[in-house]
Amino acid sequence: MSSFPTQAAGVPVLVLREGSNRSRGREAQHGNITAAKVVAQSVRSALGPKGMDKMLVDNFGDTTITSDGRTILDEMDIQHPAAKMLVEVAKTQDNEAGDGTTSAVIIAGELLSKAEELIEKNVHPTVIIEGYRKAAAKALKTLDKIALPVDLKSSDFLKKAATTSMGSKIVAEYKDYLADLAVKAMLAVSEKEGRVRKADVDDVKVEKKTGGSLLDTSLIYGIVLDKEIVQSGMPKRVEKAKIALIDASIEIEKTELDAKINIEKPEMIEAFLDEEEKILREMTDKILASGANVVVCQKGIDDMAQHFLSRKKVIVIRRAKKSDMEKLAKASGGKIVSSIDDLSASDLGYADLVEERKIGDDKMTFIEGCKNPKSVTLLIRGATQRMTAEAERSIHDALCVVRDLIQEPKIVAGGSAPEMEMAGALRKYAEIIPGREQLAVRIFADALESIATTLAENAGLDPVDILAELRTRHEKGETWAGVEVLSGKVQDMSKVNIFEPLSVKKQIIKSANEAASMILKIDDVISSGKMNAPPTPPGGMGGGGMGGMGGMGGMGGYPGGEF
Ligand SMILES: Nc1ncnc2c1ncn2[C@@H]1O[C@H](COP(=O)(O)OP(=O)(O)O)[C@@H](O)[C@H]1O
Ligand SMILES: [Mg+2]
């Protein structure tokens, strides 16, 4: 199996390099499915508000504590190619919808594990894939049917959805406060484009500074720069700021060539320095002529120029990041100029206040009170760096959820209610699907129900009882019956304000189905000799701090040892 020899006229022909490995058919499928299942298993216990958190330790000993599906998988040093595809699911889900990563990975894992049972009963993978395709299409239709439209005139549902997404995070205790900030931030930067609204999470700048508590986290209608004002002689505060955004150095250009100046008389030095001063003065005069009282420069600025500006009570910030310059332009309504000669009053941005403040141990510059800013800043505070990091990840999810709803204002209730509805619809649908594809549609329904059982398990409830009750109540037409894990009861999730964007749920189905189908299609795994190197560096996967991830041991050496 390992060499790939072909017998041609008695002479063995080696196609692959020596040391290459190959596994095919059932064996390859089994290896891939097992690996993917292990990955899904590792995030399972993190699902929902009662999910557990993970502590991840990297090769340098840095730890991350999170309950975020994508982060867990990102931090794990996964090597197996099929397992990596599940990591991709989390990435796709995160990029497309921003929330629902854990759910997508769990469902993908279930789709594979259930498919394996069918394969063992001799159902061909292509039949399963086709059945899954039909099931996914039907599931998406069901979601569309049950989704409720949201009126964006009120931010009520935006807030509820943002709060739901925060509810399953470590920072859940502060979910109301943080969700409110996320909604306000996203609404501020959203814009009407024709008949739809567009919003981009990149327009919300997230800065974090350790210190204080999460309740000190604030929304600034402008930009906070992690920079101090260049000279202590400059004012620390300017009201009604007119801001010049300059992408050019305010220095004398150094010549490219090694020029040599022979100075013969002391007067020559003076003349030389005078000339330098004159050039710098001209530059600063041009800036002052525009009416600017704040200068944010992407490049360097000469001490002498700083001095001239300081005398005129102008605040200067240098070496601002390009991305910050762009955000500042959006926030203040200013224009970035790349030559001081081009700077005019109309290029200046506006802010009610520019002020340097001490935050924690550092000085930061606040540019706030911008008029109708199209970029804003969330400044996250928290007792420890780990806390602010997890808050940033959680706020990211909330911002994405709000963005999703702004762009597609449709909502579903959570707590596995939509998954149960889809499962019910699929079982009915299966009855009209002929042949073995019907079996695939049925197991797709089972896989969707794993969200309910996982939520229940993680909350210490009996998954069998909960599932039975959910099925009965959905059959009776209770669309939003779900398992509310805080009370531990099956109830109408729309009454307890657990809401999620339709687009998140749809993306979960798409991402999970795509990944599962892709893995099922593989029946031949050929790996070059290079892959035979020890798969994990010391301290990698095996000792990666993911204690309790039973079954992970099989990953290190690749299931079946086929690679
Ligand atoms: N109070 C609640 N009771 C039951 N389920 C909830 C509750 N709040 C949120 N959920 C559910 O938790 C799931 C999301 O959990 P989460 O850990 O954020 O995973 P994901 O990465 O998939 O978003 C969703 O199915 C959501 O409906
Ligand atoms: Mg979530």
Side-chain angles (χ1 to χ4, degrees), residues 22-36:
R22 184 174 194 197
S23 74
R24 22 183 165 181
R26 288 262 174 99
E27 196 179 8
Q29 261 149 7
H30 178 73
N32 285 340
I33 291 175
T34 310

Side-chain angles (χ1 to χ4, degrees), residues 247-317:
D247 175 20
S249 61
I250 310 175
E251 289 166 329
I252 310 251
E253 296 282 333
K254 305 267 182 305
T255 48
E256 298 275 316
L257 305 166
D258 263 340
K260 212 187 250 170
I261 307 167
N262 287 324
I263 293 177
E264 283 147 12
K265 288 180 280 182
E267 300 85 70
M268 281 178 75
I269 287 200
E270 223 159 275
F272 185 71
L273 292 178
D274 281 351
E275 183 58 23
E276 264 200 7
E277 186 178 326
K278 197 174 132 232
I279 297 172
L280 287 169
R281 193 178 283 283
E282 270 171 21
M283 283 182 171
T284 51
D285 281 349
K286 275 179 198 149
I287 293 172
L288 292 167
S290 72
N293 53 11
V294 173
V295 174
V296 183
C297 185
Q298 201 177 322
K299 307 226 163 96
I301 171 160
D302 189 277
D303 285 348
M304 179 99 66
Q306 292 178 20
H307 172 71
F308 293 146
L309 292 168
S310 173
R311 277 212 306 228
K312 297 285 178 194
K313 303 264 171 275
V314 174
I315 286 181
V316 178
I317 289 164

Side-chain angles (χ1 to χ4, degrees), residues 26-42 80 82-84 86 108-109 112-113 116 120 519-520 550-555 558-561:
R26 288 262 174 99
E27 196 179 8
Q29 261 149 7
H30 178 73
N32 285 340
I33 291 175
T34 310
K37 263 166 38 182
V38 169
V39 170
Q41 198 63 34
S42 68
H80 191 289
K84 276 187 176 163
L86 274 214
L112 286 167
S113 135
E116 193 172 32
E120 268 158 26
I519 293 175
L520 284 175
M552 221 54 190
M555 287 273 307
Y558 300 138

